[in-house]
Amino acid sequence: MSSDGQEPTTTMTFELLKTAVKDGGARLGRLAFSGRRTVDTPNFFGLTSRGVIPHVTPDNVEKYLHTNGTYMALEDFIERPQQYMTRSPPIYETPSPVNKPLNSFTAMPSSIITVLGSRRLPAVSSPMGNTNQGISVFTSTGFQAITTKEYINAVQTLNPDIAIPLADLTHKTNTPTSKRALRMAERTDDWIKEWFTEMYTKKDSKIATFAPVLPISYSMQWEYLERLSEEHASNPAVLSGLAVYDADLIPDISSSSSSNKYKNLDTLPRLALTAPSNPHQVLRQLSLGMDIFLLPFLSTASDAGIALSFTFPPPNNSTSTSTSTSESAAPEDLPLLPLGIDMSSPTHSASLLPLTTTESCCTCTCYACTTHHRAFVQHLLCAREMLGWTLLQIHNHAVVASFFAAIREALADGTFEEKARLFAKRYEPEIPTGLGERPRARGYHFKSEGPNEVKKNKPAWSKFEGEGDGGGEQGKEKKKEKTVEEKVDELRIEDEQSGTTSGLASGVVDSVAETPLVPDENADAKDLEEKGFAERVEEKK
């Protein structure tokens, strides 16, 4: 509620066009912001790195990328170098004639919806942990803490279209303990109260709030969800959507039973922060009722030189290139189709085909497929030219956009579940890894997990073959360190030439670095036995 008693206004609207028959099922909707592209759901938003979609400039985002929104992380912009610890991040000082500093700083087209969160997706786990006052974020200059007050001030300054409040998350794959899960719910509940109080004290606030739904069991956060429901019931303008970290919680929220206290939350749009790794996971989460997705595998596939090749629904049996008997076979009896094609493979070095093409439908109509061919992209990847990854990023976004468009058509005509089952039977479970070299991996994108970790790329520089530590002629003249076996062989040769015995000729090679122990000439058998020497019997001639 605003200070003068008037309700704040927001420019976002969400309309459900077709709801699911069962609790938490797939649904059709339409998300709209004034002055932005209308988003038909289910759909996806682009993931950014430091404010830009990887490999694609902002002008080409509007021209060639089939995305209506972008997700940005505050931790990408607030680094503080050691020598300038008190300096205000430049993004806060960016002038903006339309009061959209986030769009002005990143040069994002005005037609694109901007979503601002605190952490990247997926986020790097922080060794510092969170506190009652805020969370730890991973910037390009290392980990640093940000309080709830600082985050709220940043959101008010940058003025995105959608903002996600802070949530107490571990960002680890293992399930948190019950004690940690309870603390996560309590902290997030306290932070959301502060968010509603600080964000909507002014009547002209137009930022849509997507409240986080934590990746813990429903029993641990039911009080927090009840608070969200009460806030939305008393003032719908303060809560515009949900940012869901676990899709399996949707059936609990959208239950149609008379005892469900969160029915008013069921009409809100749901943004998936679950980071699915392949389209199979997208279909599963979509069938639970997710509306908008953020897909890290898009940029991962482009970096690996993979051109996505899946379609929804999958090609029918008649498109198989095998014998006529297999053309009439059941889907589960046909060979699995790959989800993507490795464009760095030498097999494409002379191919004039577009990146992906199928017999069941028309060829991909994206800029990359209509303007270039596989041989050109393969050459770019082998030469590590940045244009190769740019073309793959454009193509992969087009494939996923067509994927969601076909899903919406299937939901409209009631064939979604059947086509989703067919998709699961026809395609491989995972996207290919790719054998080509990736672009440079930034330190703030990935964190080392420990010793003996395999590097993502080959070293850019290495010693010339046969070159020593000193380099040049001196390095060539420097002798390599001898192995234990070589030292033992040299000692044996010296023994044979000098006629002496050092114990090595008899096969004792365990302690080359130590001086061999020789018995005293005047010692008797008892003394030798006490000192550990075996009696040596001379051979009779």
Side-chain angles (χ1 to χ4, degrees):
M1 191 72 66
S2 61
S3 57
D4 58 358
Q6 297 182 4
E7 293 183 355
T9 59
T10 180
T11 58
M12 193 202 87
T13 59
F14 180 69
E15 178 186 4
L16 282 175
L17 304 179
K18 186 176 181 180
T19 58
V21 178
K22 60 180 180 178
D23 299 338
R27 58 188 192 173
L28 280 172
R30 180 170 293 135
L31 180 70
F33 280 85
S34 58
R36 304 288 187 268
R37 295 178 184 174
T38 301
V39 182
D40 292 324
T41 62
N43 217 317
F44 76 104
F45 283 173
L47 271 174
T48 65
S49 172
R50 295 186 67 83
V52 296
I53 295 179
H55 313 303
V56 185
T57 55
D59 58 327
N60 285 325
V61 169
E62 191 168 23
K63 288 180 182 178
Y64 304 120
L65 245 57
H66 300 265
T67 182
N68 298 318
T70 55
Y71 173 86
M72 303 184 187
L74 184 65
E75 66 181 359
D76 278 341
F77 308 108
I78 58 173
E79 67 274 1
R80 292 177 180 174
Q82 292 290 335
Q83 63 270 32
Y84 303 113
M85 289 298 294
T86 59
R87 185 192 68 175
S88 176
I91 192 171
Y92 296 151
E93 311 297 332
T94 303
S96 178
V98 293
N99 193 26
K100 288 287 185 181
L102 185 61
N103 291 67
S104 300
F105 186 81
T106 60
M108 192 60 63
S110 59
S111 60
I112 303 295
I113 298 172
T114 53
V115 183
L116 182 64
S118 57
R119 303 295 312 273
R120 297 169 62 91
L121 189 72
V124 175
S125 178
S126 170
M128 300 167 57
N130 303 329
T131 65
N132 292 332
Q133 289 72 39
I135 66 171
S136 177
V137 297
F138 188 31
T139 71
S140 61
T141 55
F143 290 96
Q144 68 183 55
I146 179 172
T147 65
T148 54
K149 182 65 176 177
E150 292 172 341
Y151 182 69
I152 292 173
N153 291 337
V155 170
Q156 291 174 333
T157 300
L158 300 180
N159 196 20
D161 297 313
I162 299 173
I164 302 173
L166 289 185
D168 185 19
L169 303 172
T170 60
H171 298 291
K172 296 180 180 179
T173 55
N174 57 325
T175 304
T177 62
S178 57
K179 183 179 180 180
R180 180 69 179 93
L182 182 60
R183 189 186 302 121
M184 291 167 63
E186 291 175 347
R187 281 179 177 171
T188 306
D189 189 31
D190 293 339
W191 294 346
I192 203 70
K193 285 190 294 184
E194 183 178 359
W195 176 275
F196 287 140
T197 301
E198 296 292 334
M199 282 293 296
Y200 297 103
T201 55
K202 297 181 180 180
K203 63 179 181 181
D204 59 346
S205 177
K206 297 181 180 180
I207 301 174
T209 295
F210 276 44
V213 178
L214 304 177
I216 57 178
S217 64
Y218 166 77
S219 60
M220 288 290 182
Q221 57 178 326
W222 67 270
E223 292 184 70
Y224 164 69
L225 295 174
E226 189 173 355
R227 175 181 299 280
L228 296 181
S229 179
E230 291 173 354
E231 289 285 351
H232 182 60
S234 61
N235 186 3
V238 300
L239 184 60
S240 303
L242 300 176
V244 184
Y245 287 91
D246 187 358
D248 292 327
L249 292 170
I250 295 179
D252 295 323
I253 300 175
S254 59
S255 174
S256 58
S257 62
S258 58
S259 60
N260 183 20
K261 302 178 181 179
Y262 323 116
K263 289 184 178 180
N264 58 332
L265 299 180
D266 195 33
T267 60
L268 299 177
R270 301 161 186 156
L271 175 65
L273 299 180
T274 53
S277 61
N278 55 64
H280 297 289
Q281 295 183 9
V282 172
L283 290 174
R284 178 187 175 276
Q285 296 179 20
L286 192 148
S287 65
L288 293 174
M290 207 69 82
D291 297 311
I292 303 172
F293 291 83
L294 303 177
L295 306 175
F297 70 77
L298 267 176
S299 294
T300 303
S302 300
D303 288 349
I306 301 297
L308 299 179
S309 59
F310 56 86
T311 60
F312 188 90
N316 31 26
N317 298 358
S318 61
T319 63
S320 177
T321 57
S322 49
T323 60
S324 58
T325 56
S326 64
E327 293 180 356
S328 59
E332 56 270 16
D333 297 331
L334 294 173
L336 294 179
L337 299 174
L339 293 171
I341 303 172
D342 187 0
M343 286 294 124
S344 62
S345 173
T347 57
H348 306 301
S349 59
S351 175
L352 301 182
L353 293 173
L355 303 190
T356 58
T357 178
T358 60
E359 299 176 12
S360 61
C361 62
C362 57
T363 303
C364 177
T365 58
C366 74
Y367 170 79
C369 288
T370 56
T371 311
H372 304 288
H373 46 67
R374 296 186 182 186
F376 180 62
V377 175
Q378 194 267 350
H379 159 71
L380 294 174
L381 293 175
C382 291
R384 293 181 58 81
E385 285 285 348
M386 59 188 301
L387 178 59
W389 295 303
T390 300
L391 294 176
L392 283 173
Q393 191 79 299
I394 292 173
H395 168 78
N396 290 340
H397 276 73
V399 169
V400 173
S402 300
F403 175 72
F404 277 99
I407 289 174
R408 292 192 294 270
E409 293 179 4
L411 288 172
D413 58 26
T415 60
F416 170 74
E417 292 186 1
E418 178 185 353
K419 292 178 179 178
R421 284 195 296 268
L422 189 62
F423 186 93
K425 294 177 181 178
R426 291 292 285 119
Y427 282 104
E428 294 177 350
E430 296 293 340
I431 297 174
T433 304
L435 302 177
E437 286 193 57
R438 275 67 168 168
R440 179 182 176 187
R442 301 288 179 177
Y444 50 83
H445 292 182
F446 310 96
K447 181 176 177 293
S448 176
E449 301 298 334
N452 303 323
E453 185 178 6
V454 179
K455 293 186 176 181
K456 298 182 182 298
N457 284 331
K458 297 178 181 179
W461 303 95
S462 61
K463 296 178 181 178
F464 187 73
E465 184 177 357
E467 185 180 356
D469 294 337
E473 295 298 330
Q474 295 180 357
K476 293 179 182 179
E477 294 175 358
K478 185 177 180 180
K479 295 182 179 180
K480 296 181 179 179
E481 185 178 355
K482 297 179 181 179
T483 63
V484 173
E485 290 78 4
E486 291 175 342
K487 293 179 180 178
V488 171
D489 291 338
E490 289 184 358
L491 288 174
R492 281 202 185 100
I493 295 173
E494 292 178 1
D495 287 350
E496 293 175 358
Q497 292 176 350
S498 61
T500 61
T501 57
S502 60
L504 295 172
S506 59
V508 182
V509 296
D510 295 330
S511 55
V512 176
E514 297 180 1
T515 303
L517 192 60
V518 180
D520 187 4
E521 295 180 355
N522 300 321
D524 58 9
K526 185 177 181 180
D527 294 333
L528 292 175
E529 185 177 0
E530 289 176 354
K531 294 182 179 181
F533 289 99
E535 185 177 359
R536 183 170 180 178
V537 181
E538 295 290 338
E539 295 181 358
K540 295 182 180 181
K541 297 183 180 178

